[in-house]
């Protein structure tokens, strides 16, 4: 057998995604190139690795075992590379993070220079909802998690990164009465929610409950970007984080409706389990944040001040 590391990497990605098309997209290869490599890899085994039922690709039981072996091989090779770089005096290893969906507008700016300056560090960042973020932290699958609401049942350390402010927003062209009450905004206009488990949704529901509003018409969407586009289109209004809406506000697609008791302010926290034995890479990242955090906030998020006096 003469399969290559490249073939192992391609087959592992196909087995994870169960799709040649999706694997080619993630690997930045053409679909024909991935198909050819899969065919060449399969020819070295007398037992099928995959099967197609209907139009869906499935991994056979034998293929799953080969994928597990491939993952072990790839991890061992990466470990060799990390050890080599460490002996050369370079920081090396993986940095794993799980980030709530709105955090995708925040976390990359605190990572960019660290990853650029440390070529031996590989970044793995999963962007998902709050429930899955906390779950990945609880299972010790990641080094850090980015959340705006601290988990109640986990014993964690934290670094406060920056404030997270949530405003009531509508599309720019929506006509409202000259004097508009909170009751009107929440009871007369359709409200667009994030999915259950979202910290943004929890904050919005807590605000509505506190004010005893009776919401009549709601729309539920599963990402902050989807909510933003729905609000821009005029489907309704929502309470949304300011972060992520910079361009829509400046381009006059969205507008903030001044509302008593808003914005809701939380804090973006980078958290990790107190019981976790942090890797040298994770420790180095915390040191980086301690030294550079304020400069990053000033340089990358100074625009936020323009909206805080609304």
């Amino acid at each position: 057998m003469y399969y290559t590391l490249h073939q192992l990497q391609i087959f592992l990605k196909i087995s994870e995604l169960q799709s040649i098309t999706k694997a080619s997209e993630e690997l930045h290869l053409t679909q024909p190139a991935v198909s050819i490599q899969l065919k060449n890899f399969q020819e070295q085994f007398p037992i099928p690795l995959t099967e197609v039922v209907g139009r869906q690709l499935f991994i056979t039981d034998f293929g799953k075992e080969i994928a597990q072996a491939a993952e072990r091989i790839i991890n061992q090779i990466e470990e060799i590379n990390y050890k080599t770089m460490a002996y050369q005096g370079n920081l090396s290893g993986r940095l794993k993070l799980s980030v709530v969906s709105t955090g995708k507008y925040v976390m990359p700016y605190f990572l960019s220079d660290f990853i650029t300056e440390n070529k031996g560090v590989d970044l793995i960042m999963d962007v998902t909802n709050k429930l899955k973020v906390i779950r990945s932290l609880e299972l010790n699958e990641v080094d850090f998690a980015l959340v705006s609401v601290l988990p109640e049942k986990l014993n964690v350390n934290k670094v406060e990164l920056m404030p997270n402010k949530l405003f009531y927003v509508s599309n720019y062209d929506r006509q409202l009465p000259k004097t508009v009450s909170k009751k009107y905004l929440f009871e007369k206009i359709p409200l667009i929610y994030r999915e259950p488990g979202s910290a943004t949704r929890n904050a919005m529901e807590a605000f509505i409950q506190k004010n005893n509003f009776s919401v009549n018409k709601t729309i539920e969407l599963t990402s902050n970007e989807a909510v933003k586009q729905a609000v821009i289109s005029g489907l309704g209004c929502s309470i949304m984080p300011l972060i992520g809406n910079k361009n829509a506000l400046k381009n006059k697609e969205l507008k903030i409706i001044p509302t008593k008791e808003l914005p809701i302010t939380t804090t973006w926290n980078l958290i990790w389990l107190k019981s976790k034995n942090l890797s040298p890479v994770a420790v180095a990242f915390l040191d980086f944040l301690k030294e550079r955090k304020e400069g990053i906030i000033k340089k990358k998020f100074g625009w936020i001040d323009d909206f805080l006096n609304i």
Side-chain angles (χ1 to χ4, degrees):
M1 292 186 180
Y2 297 98
Y3 44 78
T4 66
L5 176 62
H6 187 52
Q7 288 173 340
L8 290 175
Q9 291 169 327
I10 287 175
F11 181 66
L12 180 59
K13 185 59 67 176
I14 291 172
S15 70
E16 290 174 352
L17 301 175
Q18 295 196 59
S19 167
I20 291 174
T21 301
K22 291 179 180 178
S24 65
E25 291 172 354
E26 286 215 8
L27 294 168
H28 304 290
L29 297 170
T30 65
Q31 186 172 331
V34 171
S35 296
I36 290 170
Q37 290 299 325
L38 175 61
K39 179 177 180 294
N40 293 340
F41 189 56
Q42 172 65 79
E43 287 176 350
Q44 301 180 71
F45 300 95
I47 304 171
L49 299 170
T50 64
E51 58 184 350
V52 177
V53 179
R55 301 182 65 181
Q56 177 65 49
L57 178 73
F58 293 92
I59 310 301
T60 64
D61 289 341
F62 176 69
K64 291 175 182 177
E65 292 194 22
I66 296 302
Q68 290 172 359
E71 185 174 20
R72 290 194 296 270
I73 292 169
I74 292 168
N75 287 340
Q76 289 172 347
I77 290 173
E78 289 178 347
E79 187 65 26
I80 290 172
N81 293 335
Y82 294 147
K83 288 183 182 296
T84 300
M85 297 191 75
Y87 267 91
Q88 293 174 323
N90 298 318
L91 184 67
S92 61
R94 288 179 175 174
L95 183 64
K96 297 182 180 180
L97 299 98
S98 188
V99 176
V100 293
S101 56
T102 311
K104 67 187 177 185
Y105 300 112
V106 176
M107 200 66 233
Y109 294 100
F110 291 94
L111 287 163
S112 179
D113 287 346
F114 179 77
I115 298 300
T116 300
E117 295 167 12
N118 296 282
K119 303 298 185 183
V121 174
D122 292 330
L123 173 65
I124 300 173
M125 188 172 79
D126 181 38
V127 180
T128 183
N129 66 33
K130 180 190 172 186
L131 291 178
K132 292 180 180 179
V133 167
I134 299 304
R135 184 63 174 162
S136 65
L137 190 70
E138 188 176 20
L139 294 176
N140 198 31
E141 295 174 343
V142 295
D143 298 304
F144 301 109
L146 182 70
V147 296
S148 59
V149 178
L150 295 174
E152 296 179 358
K153 297 180 181 180
L154 291 182
N155 197 11
V156 299
N157 289 316
K158 68 173 183 175
V159 171
E160 293 185 358
L161 292 185
M162 57 183 286
N164 178 38
K165 295 185 178 291
L166 292 82
F167 291 83
Y168 186 99
V169 296
S170 79
N171 65 323
Y172 194 82
D173 296 326
R174 181 176 291 276
Q175 298 297 314
L176 295 170
K178 289 185 178 181
T179 302
V180 60
S181 67
K182 286 190 299 182
K183 189 176 180 68
Y184 179 94
L185 293 174
F186 285 90
E187 295 189 355
K188 298 299 182 182
I189 299 174
L191 288 178
I192 303 175
Y193 286 75
R194 284 287 306 279
E195 78 285 1
S198 161
T200 300
R201 176 175 178 139
N202 291 344
M204 184 171 171
E205 289 181 329
F207 183 84
I208 290 170
Q209 185 176 10
K210 175 184 175 183
N211 286 275
N212 295 313
F213 293 137
S214 178
V215 178
N216 295 318
K217 185 173 179 60
T218 64
I219 300 169
E220 182 180 302
L221 300 172
T222 58
S223 74
N224 193 67
E225 190 64 28
V227 172
K228 177 168 69 176
Q229 295 304 323
V231 174
I232 289 173
S233 73
L235 277 174
C237 295
S238 188
I239 290 180
M240 298 184 66
L242 182 60
I243 201 79
N245 291 318
K246 173 184 178 182
N247 290 336
L249 289 165
K250 289 194 171 183
N251 293 337
K252 295 186 176 181
E253 296 173 312
L254 290 178
K255 62 182 176 182
I256 294 172
I257 307 300
T259 310
K260 189 176 180 181
E261 298 180 54
L262 292 178
I264 300 168
T265 302
T266 60
T267 301
W268 289 113
N269 292 287
L270 191 71
I271 63 175
W272 65 100
L273 295 174
K274 283 189 176 180
S275 59
K276 186 170 182 62
N277 184 19
L278 292 177
S279 69
V281 169
V283 172
F285 183 55
L286 290 178
D287 290 339
F288 170 86
L289 288 178
K290 183 178 180 180
E291 179 183 346
R292 309 273 279 275
K293 179 181 73 171
E294 295 303 326
I296 293 170
I297 293 171
K298 183 177 180 180
K299 181 178 180 181
K300 301 297 184 180
F301 299 101
W303 62 269
I304 290 176
D305 294 338
D306 296 339
F307 298 93
L308 296 187
N309 296 321
I310 293 176

